[in-house]
Amino acid sequence: EITVAADPKTKTYGLPDPALTYIVTGMEGDDSFTGELARLPGENVGTYQITIGTLTAGTNYTIAFVPENLTITPRPITVTADDKEKVLGDLDPDLTYKITSGSLANEEDQITGDLERVAGETVGTYLIKQGSMAIDDSNGGANYDLTFVEGTFTIKQISITITANAATKVYGEEDPEFTYTASDESVQLTGALGREPGENAGTYAITIGSLSAGEQYAISFVTADFTITKKEASV
């Protein structure tokens, strides 16, 4: 009698089986084996016993077989959410993702479900989370070791353009009220335009000053000139 002890084996889900090997004790001289070991069927994550299969040493030997196991481990895969953005008041874009490490083992395995983001509709950033997204396979997703990388969803301010109107005064007079036009006249603005300091005759840039449309809006400001003209001398 000879002893054949199977070697334990492992593989990742979706990969081919490794060669099934063994250790022999008690065989004489140059005698050899034919055939090969086998294992119990199955491709899901789990443990499968290695069997003697078709292995034989011929009629001169009785084989005492010591089984071992082939272990199938989960397949690592990383899914990363794509960063998204929208302008305040718009509808959310679709939340998408990509596989950034690893892969699906076959066409039958699918990524299902949807991502979700932290709720909120004010200007700012919100995490994109896994939501119901999962891997659907013949073992209910247990064949994969899924790592999910969150993304960022940004709600941006609404853009508005403020264009200053040119203004003038005579040296020594009070400044006029600085006026402007807005690309969206429905927006309620607070504060007032300003200008570069100086009271001598010359040209000064009109500035945004304290003018504001609130946190919801990003202002693009187009300046204009404020001109102080010389005062005519009285005779």
Side-chain angles (χ1 to χ4, degrees):
E1 182 178 78
I2 59 176
T3 299
V4 174
D7 296 318
K9 296 290 179 176
T10 185
K11 75 167 185 174
T12 299
Y13 169 74
L15 295 181
D17 280 8
L20 300 179
T21 57
Y22 51 86
I23 297 173
V24 180
T25 55
M27 177 168 277
E28 298 291 337
D30 295 329
D31 290 346
S32 61
F33 290 92
T34 59
E36 56 188 17
L37 300 182
R39 70 168 178 93
L40 296 181
E43 291 301 329
N44 288 324
V45 166
T47 301
Y48 301 86
Q49 189 178 72
I50 298 172
T51 65
I52 195 166
T54 59
L55 192 70
T56 179
T59 57
N60 292 327
Y61 295 95
T62 299
I63 296 176
F65 182 67
V66 181
E68 258 295 352
N69 291 317
L70 168 70
T71 301
I72 301 178
T73 60
R75 185 182 185 91
I77 187 171
T78 301
V79 175
T80 300
D82 297 318
D83 291 338
K84 296 288 181 175
E85 64 179 32
K86 73 170 184 176
V87 173
L88 181 70
D90 289 350
L91 295 176
D92 280 11
D94 291 336
L95 301 180
T96 57
Y97 53 83
K98 61 177 68 73
I99 296 173
T100 52
S101 178
S103 63
L104 295 173
N106 52 66
E107 294 182 355
E108 289 73 25
D109 296 348
Q110 300 290 328
I111 298 177
T112 61
D114 299 305
L115 303 182
E116 64 182 24
R117 71 170 178 90
V118 174
E121 290 300 331
T122 58
V123 170
T125 56
Y126 303 84
L127 282 179
I128 299 173
K129 304 180 76 65
Q130 184 172 343
S132 62
M133 191 218 75
I135 296 180
D136 183 20
D137 61 28
S138 58
N139 201 24
N143 289 326
Y144 289 87
D145 180 10
L146 173 63
T147 298
F148 178 74
V149 180
E150 295 175 334
T152 300
F153 186 89
T154 303
I155 299 180
K156 299 166 59 179
Q157 293 173 307
I158 302 169
S159 295
I160 182 173
T161 300
I162 302 296
T163 303
N165 298 319
T168 186
K169 78 169 183 176
V170 175
Y171 172 74
E173 293 180 350
E174 296 291 328
D175 282 5
E177 180 181 353
F178 297 118
T179 61
Y180 54 85
T181 58
S183 58
D184 184 349
E185 295 181 354
S186 67
V187 176
Q188 298 297 311
L189 297 165
T190 60
L193 298 180
R195 70 171 178 90
E196 292 179 332
E199 291 301 330
N200 291 324
T203 301
Y204 302 86
I206 297 173
T207 65
I208 188 71
S210 61
L211 195 69
S212 173
E215 294 182 356
Q216 298 177 344
Y217 292 87
I219 294 178
S220 296
F221 181 67
V222 181
T223 188
D225 289 337
F226 173 63
T227 304
I228 302 177
T229 61
K230 295 180 180 180
K231 183 176 180 179
E232 294 184 4
S234 58
V235 177

